[in-house]
Amino acid sequence: MKFQDTGLDGLLVEFQLLEEIMESAGFAYQYDYERATFDYKIIDQVHNDVYYFRIPSHVEEGEIPSPHCMVRIMTPYVGKHYYPHGVEYDENFPQFVTDKCHKKIQGILDKVKTEAL
């Protein structure tokens, strides 16, 4: 499931700032020299399900992990993990999962806008 028109997708941010904001919001990340994907793990303890909320980014200037490279945030998405097959993104997600994702998006957006000034 993609989260369209959040205000987050398309923003251009310095990598070091984005890295700090995302880590403070509980995200872990993976990167290569051209892109980084920030992951937030959501666990449904009632049904024993695991979801991954992902916010990808792509380098516009420089290369990761240079702290001053500029990255563009892309469209956030969420998927459900199925062991051992991987993550499926075309699912019906529980309301608490989508609410959590929207809350994370808003918190990140607020921090990016205030700290990027």
Side-chain angles (χ1 to χ4, degrees):
M1 171 183 188
K2 290 185 177 183
F3 294 88
Q4 304 286 349
D5 302 320
T6 62
L8 196 59
D9 46 326
L11 288 179
L12 190 62
V13 183
E14 190 176 61
F15 180 69
Q16 182 175 8
L17 174 62
L18 183 60
E19 179 183 35
E20 291 170 5
I21 290 170
M22 299 303 277
E23 285 181 347
S24 72
F27 285 76
Y29 69 96
Q30 306 169 45
Y31 70 91
D32 63 19
Y33 298 105
E34 296 178 354
R35 62 186 158 262
T37 301
F38 297 88
D39 292 340
Y40 184 80
K41 187 176 184 178
I42 303 169
I43 300 173
D44 180 351
Q45 294 179 344
V46 174
H47 298 102
N48 202 26
D49 291 330
V50 176
Y51 302 91
Y52 287 97
F53 177 47
R54 295 190 161 150
I55 300 179
S57 63
H58 192 271
V59 172
E60 292 285 321
E61 181 182 314
E63 65 181 34
I64 296 174
S66 172
H68 302 294
C69 76
M70 298 300 290
V71 295
R72 187 164 309 278
I73 300 172
M74 298 164 66
T75 304
Y77 56 94
V78 66
K80 182 177 179 181
H81 182 261
Y82 289 96
Y83 179 83
H85 305 293
V87 181
E88 291 290 329
Y89 301 101
D90 191 22
E91 298 280 325
N92 290 324
F93 296 96
Q95 188 67 42
F96 85 93
V97 171
T98 58
D99 288 348
K100 183 76 166 180
C101 294
H102 283 292
K103 191 174 186 179
K104 288 288 182 183
I105 289 169
Q106 192 58 51
I108 293 163
L109 185 59
D110 291 346
K111 282 189 177 182
V112 166
K113 286 184 175 181
T114 58
E115 294 185 27
L117 298 175

